[in-house]
Structure formats: C-alpha cells, structure tokens
Amino acid sequence: MVSAEIFVKHLEENGFNFFSGVPCSLFCGAIQILEARNDLPYISAVREDDALGVASGAYLGGKQPAILIQNSGLGNCLNVITSLNMIYKIPVLIIMTWRGFEGVDAPEHIVMGKGMERLLADIGLPYRILAPESINEEFRWAVGVIRREKVPPVLLLKKGVLC
Amino acid sequence: MLGRKEALAILLDQIGESPVIHCNGYISRESFALSDRPQNFYMIGSMGMASSIGLGVALAQPNQRVIIFDGDGNVLMNLGALATIGATRRENLYHIVFDNGAYASTGYQTTLSDRVPLEKVAQAAGYRMIYEAENPEALTTAVSNMFQKMGPGFLLVRIDPHQEDNQFGRITHTPEEIAERFMLHFGN
C-alpha cells in the first residue's frame, strides 16, 4: 500500500495542478489532502461529467488537470469524453477507482466492474492499473499519453492500493 | 420580441476581448456567423457542459473575465452545475443564458424553462447577481451593470423562439482548431 500523502505528492510532482471529482472511499484521504491545497484546491463537482467539464475548462485555461472519480461515474462521463475531450484533444487525467473488480462487490458495482475494461477499450481510452510500487511510473506514463496523444489517460485504482 | 441575433450583437458589443464559452446548437453557429473570434470556444457536442467548462476556465484564469453563452435546454441538462458555480463563487465568471424555451436545432421542441424559472434556481444556488432582460434596452443596461460587479453573475435573456435558423451552417473550424486557438489566446 501507498499512503494518500505519497500518492498526492507523486501526482503533483508529475505536473498535475488542478483537481476535481466526486469521491470514492478507495481514495483513502487523497481528496481531503487536495481540498486543503492553498493554490487551486480540489473542486467538489456535483457529478462526474461536471468534474470532467470543469477540469477540461481548466486545461483550456492552461492547467494540467486530473479528476478523481469512482468507476460508477464512468457512464456519466461518456458523452463528455467522446464529444469533447477526445475530439477537441483536451487531455484530462482520469483517476478512477475500480469497484466491482472481478465481479466481487456490492450489487450496484458488479456490471460496471466486469465490463469496464472492455468499455474503455471500445471507446479507445488508454488505461493502466495502478500498483503501489509503481505509482510514479504510471503517472509518468499518463503524462506521456497527454503529451503525445492528447486524449484522457485512465489510471485505475483498486482496493488495497491506498488502503 | 428580442431575437437571438440582436441579443448577440448587443452582447458582442460589450464583451471586449473576454473569452466566451458557447454552448452547442444555434448559439454557437449564429455567434460564429456574426463575429468569429479566437477566444470563442464553440461546443458542437457535450450538451450542458458550457457552464462547467466556463467555471474551469475562470478558475484557471482568475484575472480574466470569463463569459458563458448558454441556452435553456443546455442549462436544464446540467442543472447541477449551477450549484457547482454558485458554491465556488467565482468572481470573474458571467453566465448569460439565451432562453427561447426550445431545443431549436432539433426542431423547436419545448423545454421546461417556462415552468422552471432558471434565474431563481441560479439565485438559490448562490450566484451573486441575477439579471433578466427581454428587450434591447434592458439587455444593454443589464450587461453593462453586471460587468461592473463581482460575479458569478447570471443573466437570463428571453428571446423569440420563432427564428429563421436555416440561414447559417455549422462551424467550419475543427474541434481541435477551436481548442488550440482558444488556448493560444491565453498564451498557452
């Protein structure tokens, strides 16, 4: 496991400087840390597409944003991802928790938990799974995708990585 | 009744160099036809997102006056963003809504804006200023007053739903071009 403090430190060291999202307990305190930033604290959005929209606006205004959401919110984001981010080339990092991994979780997470990777592949979003020992490398990968392809990279956060 | 073209012309006269995020539909297309500018961001999809995007730009560029040209259908689709904007209380953000009570570009089906007063929702959500206008003089005064004060401001412009909208086509810039030139305007 990696502490939320180290997670946020790697995130900021890799140049991410604007944050929004809708919480998941698997973020284990990372959102609260980002909310306490002096400069541009995390913006609590009302829904995941709102978070992605705000982050996209921040990118247009010169920031390098990331959103923190649960995978139950991926469906809410699809229209913004497909008709804004991917076609206007607005690359916002999407850090998404993986509820329903391998079909094990509360009922509301099972369908998305099992289908999520296919869904990401079907719309063409590059993604990787975060591991505690390689957090920094995954953030560096995301920065590379942002620079080269200008589409939103997705980093999947499973239970047990932060807590 | 105030037409969209006339309303746009009055607004374009007062916004100076400010960036404007335009929602999708005829608002984007007519603004593009009237007066295309690099600091106009036109949405061709992601309906409802102009408000959220506008907030993001305003947060990233706190020294710029940031304006949203939105529509009643768009606002209703992302009504929650009024809460995000109201709660964040961005002083440099001005949200102008062209309310024609209809989804114009899909055939003028009616929206709910005649039954749900959007300006009251914005007020309850925490916008600092609420203005309404439905004729040229009122609009000119409202914009001028609003821009002198701290935002977030909400201006509801009631416009004529009966329009000849087939006179202008789609926006000719690609989405990538729209984003690139918008960002260049800020020096990015």
Side-chain angles (χ1 to χ4, degrees), chain B:
Chain B
M1 226 189 147
L2 187 57
R4 190 196 306 113
K5 182 175 184 171
E6 195 179 5
L8 272 171
I10 292 169
L11 285 162
L12 290 168
D13 206 37
Q14 299 226 37
I15 61 172
E17 296 304 303
S18 298
V20 183
I21 293 87
H22 294 68
C23 69
N24 65 328
Y26 286 124
I27 289 157
S28 263
R29 297 186 211 180
E30 187 149 33
S31 182
F32 168 72
L34 261 178
S35 173
D36 188 29
R37 310 144 84 231
Q39 61 268 52
N40 282 356
F41 188 80
Y42 304 115
M43 293 164 60
I44 59 173
S46 56
M47 184 165 172
M49 284 296 126
S51 45
S52 305
I53 293 169
L55 176 59
V57 177
L59 283 159
Q61 294 280 339
N63 297 324
Q64 285 259 5
R65 179 175 64 196
V66 177
I67 300 168
I68 302 164
F69 282 178
D70 217 341
D72 50 302
N74 268 266
V75 171
L76 283 162
M77 186 171 282
N78 190 18
L79 204 57
L82 295 183
T84 318
I85 290 172
T88 313
R89 302 275 274 173
R90 271 321 305 171
E91 296 165 9
N92 57 324
L93 185 61
Y94 299 90
H95 194 171
I96 300 173
V97 180
F98 296 79
D99 185 358
N100 64 354
Y103 298 102
S105 61
T106 53
Y108 282 95
Q109 296 87 0
T110 52
T111 70
L112 305 178
S113 70
D114 60 335
R115 283 148 284 174
V116 178
L118 298 176
E119 73 282 6
K120 294 214 171 88
V121 180
Q123 180 156 50
Y127 279 65
R128 272 200 183 86
M129 302 175 279
I130 307 291
Y131 291 88
E132 293 169 67
E134 47 187 77
N135 62 59
E137 299 72 34
L139 178 56
T140 308
T141 309
V143 182
S144 162
N145 286 345
M146 185 173 72
F147 283 164
Q148 286 172 44
K149 304 199 187 112
M150 219 188 312
F154 188 90
L155 167 53
L156 190 89
V157 187
R158 288 196 174 78
I159 59 167
D160 187 353
H162 304 294
Q163 296 277 290
E164 294 303 319
D165 282 323
N166 52 5
Q167 62 194 289
F168 36 79
R170 289 176 179 268
I171 291 156
T172 53
H173 305 299
T174 67
E176 257 186 273
E177 284 166 357
I178 292 169
E180 257 177 46
R181 66 178 201 165
F182 187 81
M183 291 178 69
L184 275 170
H185 173 74
F186 298 117
N188 296 316

Side-chain angles (χ1 to χ4, degrees), chain A residues 107-125:
Chain A
E108 67 271 22
H109 294 296
I110 302 305
V111 177
M112 181 54 88
K114 289 203 278 194
M116 185 175 63
E117 285 183 286
R118 277 196 315 274
L119 185 52
L120 292 173
D122 276 347
I123 55 175
L125 277 188

Side-chain angles (χ1 to χ4, degrees), chain A residues 18 40 43-47 49-50 53-63 79-80 83-84 87-90 150, chain B residues 41-47 49 52-53 55-57 59-61 80-81 83-84 88 175-176 178-179 182-183 186 188:
Chain A
F18 184 95
L40 285 177
I43 297 293
S44 179
V46 294
R47 202 169 53 201
D49 53 353
D50 181 35
V54 174
S56 300
Y59 179 83
L60 293 172
K63 297 299 171 190
N79 190 34
V80 186
S83 70
L84 182 74
I87 62 168
Y88 285 78
K89 300 291 190 216
I90 299 175
K150 290 194 170 174
Chain B
F41 188 80
Y42 304 115
M43 293 164 60
I44 59 173
S46 56
M47 184 165 172
M49 284 296 126
S52 305
I53 293 169
L55 176 59
V57 177
L59 283 159
Q61 294 280 339
T84 318
T88 313
E176 257 186 273
I178 292 169
F182 187 81
M183 291 178 69
F186 298 117
N188 296 316

